[in-house]
Amino acid sequence: MNGQMMFCDLNITSIMQHALLAYSQQQIVSLKSDGKTLHRYSYREAFQRVAQAAHAFDQLDIAPDAIMGTLAWNTYQHIELHYAIPCSGRVYHTINPRLFPEQILQIIQDAQDQVLFVEPECIALLENMYDQVKPFVKHIFILGDIDASLSATFPFQFYEQILQDQPTSYPWPEIKEQQASGLCYTSGTTGQPKGVLYSHRSTVLHALILSMREVVGLDLHSVMMPMVPLYHISAWGMPYNSILCGAKLVCCHQFAGQPDKMVRLMQQEHVDIAMGVPTIWAGIQAYLQQNSIENFPLKRAISGGSAASLALIERMQQLGIQLDNAWGMTETSSLAACNHGGYAPTSHPAHSLKCGRPIFGTQVRLKDQHQQVLALGELQEGQLEIRGHAIVEQYMYQDSGAEQSWFNTGDIASIDELGYIHITDRVKDMIKSGGEWISSVALENAVMGYEKIHEAAVIGVEHPKWGERPLLIVVPKAQHATIQHEEIISYLSSSIEKWSLPSATICVKNIPHTPTGKISKKTLREQYHDYFAQMNVV
């Protein structure tokens, strides 16, 4: 027997309609390209422009199911596109402008974007590949303000121009919940980037789940500033979750890596919750401390991409900021687990390093090296697999050939008796030394407690005797400082097994990062692959 309740499709349009009814006067604030000027308007004004954009798309004969790419920063215009495109039945496609040009070209070609929205800073990038994309890219729109002096070798229109004189209301179609809404490609750290195609249903469910107090937990009194870029899983779903909850949304353009601008913006707009990768939080923590800033409005910081170290968590606590680790992937629609410090079952410091419990609608399991499912809650390590309402089934244009009921994340993890996941390492980053496995993540977390170190990375490097040995690469806090390997060993010896200690330490000015802010261990492995061989170690 079926229930006798109404059925209404879960679509992004329903988020917009709810926000207009319940929170129409709430604000969206954006830092503009000069890094100083602010753009400020209400939800109502934002969705009037969303309607204008949808009319413009129809008027320009953009196909009703077109894939529309964005090479764009965290701005109010990019937020608008997250609604105008899917609510009119089309598919938005966020593209990372900081990827290598050949990767960007491969992604655009794979997606077959019919439309591109481009920041002025990305014009030169597009000019270099325009001949290869013009067979299928029918329209190019330049974001930002209208600038008559701006020129390009390809035909374009300004986004602001196509909105002019368009009606501020739109007859939104009834979108079926399984219809595609958005597209985001993986960062390409393992092979070529792969497309993850989200549905309206998965997007709305994910936004609702993030609303739970134990996850992000926004409400109409919250002021959220995502410093994770919109081109990376739509800033971890914040265009939808924030607006669904009626929160004030603050956009930081492309300046997330500049702590002075971020701190000033948070102070001006009274931001109380924000999101970013650990390198962003390390910069903000150092800036707050160096400038003795007190009464800072930020109360909760959510860290993802990689785990924030215990040392960073404790330094943020000293500033009155709760730094929570979370975990997710492009394939999981952003967060799939969150360790909300306000709900921690134990005050033990090591607990904060875990990425948290799975969010509602997400199931997890561990498999051993023989592909046998492990019992949960026994702190056994295994490969983490996941399934749920907002988890990818297969990549775009890649037929899996078989039903994929579980997604292999590529992470090694353990799960405790309370359901908390602890990511030990990526499978590809584990170090096999003399028959023993060494976690690069555990070493990094330990060494980050050393007061002289600003950032650290550990990689496995081929060794003539042990197969692989850990190599530690560090950035000292003090400019031009040198950190001796012996002092690192002395510091770590009380907490790390002798056979897991790094075999060498290298001081560098900076560590390479991926375009999404993670440490690029792939680059480090290429750079130092023969380090021990050159040193003639035994």
Side-chain angles (χ1 to χ4, degrees), residues 62-101:
I62 295 171
D65 60 351
I67 298 177
M68 305 173 73
T70 65
L71 285 154
W73 313 126
N74 285 22
T75 69
Y76 67 99
Q77 293 173 325
H78 206 177
I79 296 290
E80 291 167 4
L81 294 172
H82 272 75
Y83 285 88
I85 294 172
C87 293
S88 64
R90 300 168 175 98
V91 179
Y92 70 85
H93 171 206
T94 55
I95 307 167
N96 185 346
R98 294 193 167 105
L99 290 173
F100 292 116

mmCIF file of all heavy atoms in Angstrom, residues 62-101:
data_model
loop_
_atom_site.group_PDB
_atom_site.id
_atom_site.type_symbol
_atom_site.label_atom_id
_atom_site.label_comp_id
_atom_site.label_asym_id
_atom_site.label_seq_id
_atom_site.Cartn_x
_atom_site.Cartn_y
_atom_site.Cartn_z
ATOM 1 N N ILE A 62 19.402 29.840 -26.290
ATOM 2 C CA ILE A 62 20.265 28.836 -25.663
ATOM 3 C C ILE A 62 19.426 27.604 -25.407
ATOM 4 O O ILE A 62 18.329 27.692 -24.841
ATOM 5 C CB ILE A 62 20.876 29.384 -24.359
ATOM 6 C CG1 ILE A 62 21.806 30.564 -24.690
ATOM 7 C CG2 ILE A 62 21.638 28.296 -23.607
ATOM 8 C CD1 ILE A 62 22.301 31.312 -23.472
ATOM 9 N N ALA A 63 19.893 26.458 -25.834
ATOM 10 C CA ALA A 63 19.120 25.213 -25.752
ATOM 11 C C ALA A 63 18.588 24.994 -24.341
ATOM 12 O O ALA A 63 19.281 25.291 -23.361
ATOM 13 C CB ALA A 63 19.997 24.038 -26.176
ATOM 14 N N PRO A 64 17.357 24.490 -24.217
ATOM 15 C CA PRO A 64 16.739 24.341 -22.887
ATOM 16 C C PRO A 64 17.459 23.355 -21.973
ATOM 17 O O PRO A 64 17.220 23.355 -20.770
ATOM 18 C CB PRO A 64 15.321 23.856 -23.210
ATOM 19 C CG PRO A 64 15.385 23.314 -24.596
ATOM 20 C CD PRO A 64 16.438 24.088 -25.306
ATOM 21 N N ASP A 65 18.338 22.519 -22.545
ATOM 22 C CA ASP A 65 19.099 21.578 -21.718
ATOM 23 C C ASP A 65 20.606 21.809 -21.850
ATOM 24 O O ASP A 65 21.409 20.912 -21.583
ATOM 25 C CB ASP A 65 18.755 20.134 -22.085
ATOM 26 C CG ASP A 65 19.066 19.819 -23.548
ATOM 27 O OD1 ASP A 65 19.384 20.772 -24.315
ATOM 28 O OD2 ASP A 65 18.993 18.640 -23.934
ATOM 29 N N ALA A 66 20.989 23.020 -22.240
ATOM 30 C CA ALA A 66 22.396 23.320 -22.492
ATOM 31 C C ALA A 66 23.242 23.197 -21.230
ATOM 32 O O ALA A 66 22.785 23.500 -20.120
ATOM 33 C CB ALA A 66 22.528 24.733 -23.060
ATOM 34 N N ILE A 67 24.492 22.772 -21.404
ATOM 35 C CA ILE A 67 25.483 22.822 -20.330
ATOM 36 C C ILE A 67 26.205 24.162 -20.452
ATOM 37 O O ILE A 67 26.716 24.515 -21.516
ATOM 38 C CB ILE A 67 26.473 21.653 -20.420
ATOM 39 C CG1 ILE A 67 25.723 20.326 -20.253
ATOM 40 C CG2 ILE A 67 27.572 21.782 -19.366
ATOM 41 C CD1 ILE A 67 26.598 19.094 -20.409
ATOM 42 N N MET A 68 26.212 24.923 -19.354
ATOM 43 C CA MET A 68 26.718 26.295 -19.370
ATOM 44 C C MET A 68 27.865 26.424 -18.375
ATOM 45 O O MET A 68 27.672 26.299 -17.167
ATOM 46 C CB MET A 68 25.578 27.268 -19.052
ATOM 47 C CG MET A 68 24.377 27.094 -19.983
ATOM 48 S SD MET A 68 22.910 28.068 -19.537
ATOM 49 C CE MET A 68 23.437 29.715 -19.996
ATOM 50 N N GLY A 69 29.060 26.642 -18.881
ATOM 51 C CA GLY A 69 30.256 26.650 -18.049
ATOM 52 C C GLY A 69 30.545 28.006 -17.437
ATOM 53 O O GLY A 69 30.239 29.052 -18.014
ATOM 54 N N THR A 70 31.168 27.990 -16.250
ATOM 55 C CA THR A 70 31.578 29.222 -15.583
ATOM 56 C C THR A 70 33.055 29.141 -15.216
ATOM 57 O O THR A 70 33.503 28.164 -14.606
ATOM 58 C CB THR A 70 30.756 29.476 -14.300
ATOM 59 O OG1 THR A 70 31.042 28.440 -13.348
ATOM 60 C CG2 THR A 70 29.268 29.492 -14.585
ATOM 61 N N LEU A 71 33.814 30.150 -15.607
ATOM 62 C CA LEU A 71 35.181 30.353 -15.141
ATOM 63 C C LEU A 71 35.113 31.598 -14.269
ATOM 64 O O LEU A 71 35.364 32.710 -14.727
ATOM 65 C CB LEU A 71 36.134 30.534 -16.322
ATOM 66 C CG LEU A 71 36.489 29.260 -17.100
ATOM 67 C CD1 LEU A 71 36.863 29.593 -18.539
ATOM 68 C CD2 LEU A 71 37.620 28.510 -16.422
ATOM 69 N N ALA A 72 34.724 31.405 -13.009
ATOM 70 C CA ALA A 72 34.290 32.554 -12.210
ATOM 71 C C ALA A 72 34.687 32.417 -10.755
ATOM 72 O O ALA A 72 34.912 31.314 -10.245
ATOM 73 C CB ALA A 72 32.771 32.709 -12.326
ATOM 74 N N TRP A 73 34.739 33.590 -10.075
ATOM 75 C CA TRP A 73 35.119 33.655 -8.668
ATOM 76 C C TRP A 73 33.871 33.614 -7.778
ATOM 77 O O TRP A 73 32.753 33.422 -8.266
ATOM 78 C CB TRP A 73 35.914 34.939 -8.396
ATOM 79 C CG TRP A 73 37.000 35.247 -9.371
ATOM 80 C CD1 TRP A 73 37.171 36.402 -10.081
ATOM 81 C CD2 TRP A 73 38.109 34.396 -9.753
ATOM 82 N NE1 TRP A 73 38.295 36.339 -10.871
ATOM 83 C CE2 TRP A 73 38.885 35.125 -10.686
ATOM 84 C CE3 TRP A 73 38.511 33.106 -9.393
ATOM 85 C CZ2 TRP A 73 40.043 34.601 -11.268
ATOM 86 C CZ3 TRP A 73 39.652 32.580 -9.967
ATOM 87 C CH2 TRP A 73 40.412 33.319 -10.890
ATOM 88 N N ASN A 74 34.074 33.842 -6.485
ATOM 89 C CA ASN A 74 32.962 33.882 -5.525
ATOM 90 C C ASN A 74 32.334 35.270 -5.545
ATOM 91 O O ASN A 74 32.792 36.181 -4.849
ATOM 92 C CB ASN A 74 33.460 33.545 -4.114
ATOM 93 C CG ASN A 74 33.747 32.073 -3.931
ATOM 94 O OD1 ASN A 74 33.973 31.363 -4.904
ATOM 95 N ND2 ASN A 74 33.741 31.613 -2.701
ATOM 96 N N THR A 75 31.313 35.443 -6.361
ATOM 97 C CA THR A 75 30.652 36.731 -6.537
ATOM 98 C C THR A 75 29.135 36.551 -6.557
ATOM 99 O O THR A 75 28.627 35.436 -6.736
ATOM 100 C CB THR A 75 31.063 37.393 -7.864
ATOM 101 O OG1 THR A 75 30.509 36.636 -8.963
ATOM 102 C CG2 THR A 75 32.588 37.452 -8.012
ATOM 103 N N TYR A 76 28.426 37.668 -6.423
ATOM 104 C CA TYR A 76 26.966 37.631 -6.494
ATOM 105 C C TYR A 76 26.498 37.158 -7.865
ATOM 106 O O TYR A 76 25.477 36.471 -7.989
ATOM 107 C CB TYR A 76 26.378 39.003 -6.145
ATOM 108 C CG TYR A 76 26.680 40.097 -7.131
ATOM 109 C CD1 TYR A 76 25.755 40.474 -8.103
ATOM 110 C CD2 TYR A 76 27.894 40.791 -7.091
ATOM 111 C CE1 TYR A 76 26.023 41.489 -9.009
ATOM 112 C CE2 TYR A 76 28.172 41.810 -7.988
ATOM 113 C CZ TYR A 76 27.239 42.146 -8.955
ATOM 114 O OH TYR A 76 27.510 43.150 -9.850
ATOM 115 N N GLN A 77 27.226 37.503 -8.925
ATOM 116 C CA GLN A 77 26.842 37.061 -10.265
ATOM 117 C C GLN A 77 26.931 35.545 -10.383
ATOM 118 O O GLN A 77 26.062 34.898 -10.980
ATOM 119 C CB GLN A 77 27.736 37.724 -11.315
ATOM 120 C CG GLN A 77 27.532 39.229 -11.438
ATOM 121 C CD GLN A 77 28.560 39.860 -12.360
ATOM 122 O OE1 GLN A 77 29.718 39.444 -12.422
ATOM 123 N NE2 GLN A 77 28.147 40.894 -13.089
ATOM 124 N N HIS A 78 27.968 34.972 -9.803
ATOM 125 C CA HIS A 78 28.130 33.517 -9.864
ATOM 126 C C HIS A 78 27.046 32.818 -9.041
ATOM 127 O O HIS A 78 26.562 31.744 -9.426
ATOM 128 C CB HIS A 78 29.527 33.138 -9.351
ATOM 129 C CG HIS A 78 30.041 31.838 -9.900
ATOM 130 N ND1 HIS A 78 31.290 31.346 -9.609
ATOM 131 C CD2 HIS A 78 29.471 30.898 -10.710
ATOM 132 C CE1 HIS A 78 31.469 30.189 -10.212
ATOM 133 N NE2 HIS A 78 30.368 29.890 -10.880
ATOM 134 N N ILE A 79 26.641 33.417 -7.928
ATOM 135 C CA ILE A 79 25.513 32.879 -7.147
ATOM 136 C C ILE A 79 24.244 32.893 -8.001
ATOM 137 O O ILE A 79 23.479 31.917 -8.028
ATOM 138 C CB ILE A 79 25.299 33.691 -5.859
ATOM 139 C CG1 ILE A 79 26.506 33.570 -4.917
ATOM 140 C CG2 ILE A 79 24.013 33.245 -5.148
ATOM 141 C CD1 ILE A 79 26.692 32.224 -4.284
ATOM 142 N N GLU A 80 24.008 34.001 -8.701
ATOM 143 C CA GLU A 80 22.822 34.097 -9.564
ATOM 144 C C GLU A 80 22.789 32.967 -10.591
ATOM 145 O O GLU A 80 21.731 32.377 -10.854
ATOM 146 C CB GLU A 80 22.821 35.450 -10.280
ATOM 147 C CG GLU A 80 22.585 36.636 -9.361
ATOM 148 C CD GLU A 80 22.888 37.978 -10.018
ATOM 149 O OE1 GLU A 80 23.209 38.000 -11.236
ATOM 150 O OE2 GLU A 80 22.819 38.995 -9.313
ATOM 151 N N LEU A 81 23.942 32.664 -11.177
ATOM 152 C CA LEU A 81 24.008 31.620 -12.199
ATOM 153 C C LEU A 81 23.704 30.242 -11.619
ATOM 154 O O LEU A 81 23.226 29.358 -12.342
ATOM 155 C CB LEU A 81 25.377 31.626 -12.870
ATOM 156 C CG LEU A 81 25.687 32.873 -13.703
ATOM 157 C CD1 LEU A 81 27.135 32.871 -14.175
ATOM 158 C CD2 LEU A 81 24.730 32.980 -14.904
ATOM 159 N N HIS A 82 23.956 30.056 -10.322
ATOM 160 C CA HIS A 82 23.636 28.782 -9.682
ATOM 161 C C HIS A 82 22.118 28.561 -9.592
ATOM 162 O O HIS A 82 21.679 27.446 -9.260
ATOM 163 C CB HIS A 82 24.256 28.720 -8.282
ATOM 164 C CG HIS A 82 25.658 28.182 -8.280
ATOM 165 N ND1 HIS A 82 26.745 28.910 -8.697
ATOM 166 C CD2 HIS A 82 26.142 26.967 -7.920
ATOM 167 C CE1 HIS A 82 27.847 28.179 -8.577
ATOM 168 N NE2 HIS A 82 27.499 26.997 -8.116
ATOM 169 N N TYR A 83 21.334 29.592 -9.847
ATOM 170 C CA TYR A 83 19.878 29.468 -9.864
ATOM 171 C C TYR A 83 19.311 29.648 -11.276
ATOM 172 O O TYR A 83 18.488 28.852 -11.724
ATOM 173 C CB TYR A 83 19.236 30.472 -8.901
ATOM 174 C CG TYR A 83 19.390 30.058 -7.459
ATOM 175 C CD1 TYR A 83 20.506 30.430 -6.717
ATOM 176 C CD2 TYR A 83 18.426 29.258 -6.838
ATOM 177 C CE1 TYR A 83 20.661 30.025 -5.399
ATOM 178 C CE2 TYR A 83 18.569 28.852 -5.515
ATOM 179 C CZ TYR A 83 19.691 29.235 -4.802
ATOM 180 O OH TYR A 83 19.843 28.823 -3.500
ATOM 181 N N ALA A 84 19.757 30.680 -11.985
ATOM 182 C CA ALA A 84 19.186 30.964 -13.304
ATOM 183 C C ALA A 84 19.380 29.797 -14.266
ATOM 184 O O ALA A 84 18.488 29.488 -15.069
ATOM 185 C CB ALA A 84 19.834 32.235 -13.878
ATOM 186 N N ILE A 85 20.522 29.149 -14.183
ATOM 187 C CA ILE A 85 20.804 28.056 -15.125
ATOM 188 C C ILE A 85 19.966 26.813 -14.786
ATOM 189 O O ILE A 85 19.167 26.362 -15.620
ATOM 190 C CB ILE A 85 22.316 27.748 -15.156
ATOM 191 C CG1 ILE A 85 23.078 28.947 -15.747
ATOM 192 C CG2 ILE A 85 22.590 26.495 -15.988
ATOM 193 C CD1 ILE A 85 24.599 28.828 -15.652
ATOM 194 N N PRO A 86 20.070 26.207 -13.590
ATOM 195 C CA PRO A 86 19.306 24.972 -13.351
ATOM 196 C C PRO A 86 17.802 25.180 -13.222
ATOM 197 O O PRO A 86 17.027 24.303 -13.605
ATOM 198 C CB PRO A 86 19.900 24.438 -12.040
ATOM 199 C CG PRO A 86 20.452 25.638 -11.344
ATOM 200 C CD PRO A 86 20.958 26.525 -12.447
ATOM 201 N N CYS A 87 17.382 26.332 -12.699
ATOM 202 C CA CYS A 87 15.939 26.555 -12.542
ATOM 203 C C CYS A 87 15.240 26.783 -13.878
ATOM 204 O O CYS A 87 14.012 26.659 -13.963
ATOM 205 C CB CYS A 87 15.680 27.734 -11.594
ATOM 206 S SG CYS A 87 16.183 27.393 -9.895
ATOM 207 N N SER A 88 16.003 27.106 -14.914
ATOM 208 C CA SER A 88 15.420 27.220 -16.257
ATOM 209 C C SER A 88 15.570 25.915 -17.032
ATOM 210 O O SER A 88 15.234 25.854 -18.219
ATOM 211 C CB SER A 88 16.091 28.375 -17.029
ATOM 212 O OG SER A 88 17.465 28.114 -17.246
ATOM 213 N N GLY A 89 16.073 24.869 -16.354
ATOM 214 C CA GLY A 89 16.165 23.549 -16.961
ATOM 215 C C GLY A 89 17.525 23.199 -17.519
ATOM 216 O O GLY A 89 17.744 22.080 -17.993
ATOM 217 N N ARG A 90 18.461 24.151 -17.457
ATOM 218 C CA ARG A 90 19.791 23.930 -18.019
ATOM 219 C C ARG A 90 20.744 23.393 -16.937
ATOM 220 O O ARG A 90 20.338 23.188 -15.798
ATOM 221 C CB ARG A 90 20.287 25.232 -18.641
ATOM 222 C CG ARG A 90 19.351 25.724 -19.758
ATOM 223 C CD ARG A 90 19.639 27.150 -20.190
ATOM 224 N NE ARG A 90 18.813 27.543 -21.333
ATOM 225 C CZ ARG A 90 17.686 28.245 -21.267
ATOM 226 N NH1 ARG A 90 17.228 28.649 -20.073
ATOM 227 N NH2 ARG A 90 17.007 28.548 -22.346
ATOM 228 N N VAL A 91 22.002 23.181 -17.277
ATOM 229 C CA VAL A 91 22.968 22.590 -16.364
ATOM 230 C C VAL A 91 24.142 23.545 -16.190
ATOM 231 O O VAL A 91 24.805 23.903 -17.173
ATOM 232 C CB VAL A 91 23.481 21.227 -16.890
ATOM 233 C CG1 VAL A 91 24.514 20.628 -15.932
ATOM 234 C CG2 VAL A 91 22.323 20.258 -17.105
ATOM 235 N N TYR A 92 24.395 23.982 -14.946
ATOM 236 C CA TYR A 92 25.566 24.823 -14.703
ATOM 237 C C TYR A 92 26.796 23.929 -14.572
ATOM 238 O O TYR A 92 26.728 22.791 -14.100
ATOM 239 C CB TYR A 92 25.385 25.690 -13.454
ATOM 240 C CG TYR A 92 25.415 24.938 -12.146
ATOM 241 C CD1 TYR A 92 26.620 24.646 -11.513
ATOM 242 C CD2 TYR A 92 24.236 24.501 -11.542
ATOM 243 C CE1 TYR A 92 26.652 23.938 -10.312
ATOM 244 C CE2 TYR A 92 24.256 23.806 -10.345
ATOM 245 C CZ TYR A 92 25.464 23.518 -9.744
ATOM 246 O OH TYR A 92 25.500 22.809 -8.574
ATOM 247 N N HIS A 93 27.928 24.446 -14.993
ATOM 248 C CA HIS A 93 29.177 23.676 -14.963
ATOM 249 C C HIS A 93 30.292 24.579 -14.458
ATOM 250 O O HIS A 93 30.776 25.444 -15.183
ATOM 251 C CB HIS A 93 29.502 23.153 -16.375
ATOM 252 C CG HIS A 93 30.867 22.536 -16.484
ATOM 253 N ND1 HIS A 93 31.562 22.498 -17.676
ATOM 254 C CD2 HIS A 93 31.668 21.949 -15.553
ATOM 255 C CE1 HIS A 93 32.738 21.914 -17.463
ATOM 256 N NE2 HIS A 93 32.825 21.580 -16.190
ATOM 257 N N THR A 94 30.668 24.409 -13.196
ATOM 258 C CA THR A 94 31.719 25.234 -12.616
ATOM 259 C C THR A 94 33.090 24.685 -13.013
ATOM 260 O O THR A 94 33.369 23.497 -12.837
ATOM 261 C CB THR A 94 31.611 25.261 -11.081
ATOM 262 O OG1 THR A 94 31.627 23.927 -10.579
ATOM 263 C CG2 THR A 94 30.310 25.937 -10.650
ATOM 264 N N ILE A 95 33.945 25.566 -13.548
ATOM 265 C CA ILE A 95 35.274 25.180 -14.034
ATOM 266 C C ILE A 95 36.320 25.950 -13.236
ATOM 267 O O ILE A 95 36.211 27.171 -13.079
ATOM 268 C CB ILE A 95 35.427 25.492 -15.541
ATOM 269 C CG1 ILE A 95 34.284 24.867 -16.342
ATOM 270 C CG2 ILE A 95 36.777 24.980 -16.058
ATOM 271 C CD1 ILE A 95 34.185 25.388 -17.768
ATOM 272 N N ASN A 96 37.325 25.261 -12.773
ATOM 273 C CA ASN A 96 38.382 25.869 -11.965
ATOM 274 C C ASN A 96 39.361 26.636 -12.853
ATOM 275 O O ASN A 96 40.125 26.033 -13.605
ATOM 276 C CB ASN A 96 39.116 24.760 -11.199
ATOM 277 C CG ASN A 96 40.164 25.291 -10.240
ATOM 278 O OD1 ASN A 96 40.553 26.448 -10.304
ATOM 279 N ND2 ASN A 96 40.627 24.434 -9.358
ATOM 280 N N PRO A 97 39.380 27.979 -12.778
ATOM 281 C CA PRO A 97 40.287 28.751 -13.641
ATOM 282 C C PRO A 97 41.760 28.537 -13.319
ATOM 283 O O PRO A 97 42.622 28.918 -14.110
ATOM 284 C CB PRO A 97 39.895 30.213 -13.354
ATOM 285 C CG PRO A 97 38.574 30.156 -12.660
ATOM 286 C CD PRO A 97 38.560 28.858 -11.929
ATOM 287 N N ARG A 98 42.044 27.935 -12.154
ATOM 288 C CA ARG A 98 43.432 27.779 -11.728
ATOM 289 C C ARG A 98 44.028 26.425 -12.095
ATOM 290 O O ARG A 98 45.164 26.127 -11.735
ATOM 291 C CB ARG A 98 43.539 28.022 -10.218
ATOM 292 C CG ARG A 98 43.224 29.478 -9.836
ATOM 293 C CD ARG A 98 43.622 29.793 -8.412
ATOM 294 N NE ARG A 98 43.606 31.236 -8.167
ATOM 295 C CZ ARG A 98 42.678 31.880 -7.486
ATOM 296 N NH1 ARG A 98 41.663 31.207 -6.984
ATOM 297 N NH2 ARG A 98 42.755 33.180 -7.297
ATOM 298 N N LEU A 99 43.254 25.596 -12.809
ATOM 299 C CA LEU A 99 43.818 24.362 -13.340
ATOM 300 C C LEU A 99 44.796 24.689 -14.467
ATOM 301 O O LEU A 99 44.822 25.801 -14.992
ATOM 302 C CB LEU A 99 42.710 23.452 -13.871
ATOM 303 C CG LEU A 99 41.775 22.790 -12.848
ATOM 304 C CD1 LEU A 99 40.649 22.066 -13.566
ATOM 305 C CD2 LEU A 99 42.528 21.838 -11.932
ATOM 306 N N PHE A 100 45.587 23.702 -14.846
ATOM 307 C CA PHE A 100 46.452 23.887 -16.003
ATOM 308 C C PHE A 100 45.583 24.118 -17.243
ATOM 309 O O PHE A 100 44.516 23.502 -17.381
ATOM 310 C CB PHE A 100 47.342 22.666 -16.214
ATOM 311 C CG PHE A 100 48.372 22.461 -15.143
ATOM 312 C CD1 PHE A 100 48.333 21.326 -14.341
ATOM 313 C CD2 PHE A 100 49.370 23.400 -14.930
ATOM 314 C CE1 PHE A 100 49.277 21.137 -13.347
ATOM 315 C CE2 PHE A 100 50.309 23.221 -13.934
ATOM 316 C CZ PHE A 100 50.271 22.089 -13.138
ATOM 317 N N PRO A 101 46.010 25.008 -18.159
ATOM 318 C CA PRO A 101 45.190 25.297 -19.348
ATOM 319 C C PRO A 101 44.772 24.057 -20.126
ATOM 320 O O PRO A 101 43.637 23.974 -20.613
ATOM 321 C CB PRO A 101 46.101 26.205 -20.185
ATOM 322 C CG PRO A 101 46.973 26.885 -19.182
ATOM 323 C CD PRO A 101 47.216 25.854 -18.106
#
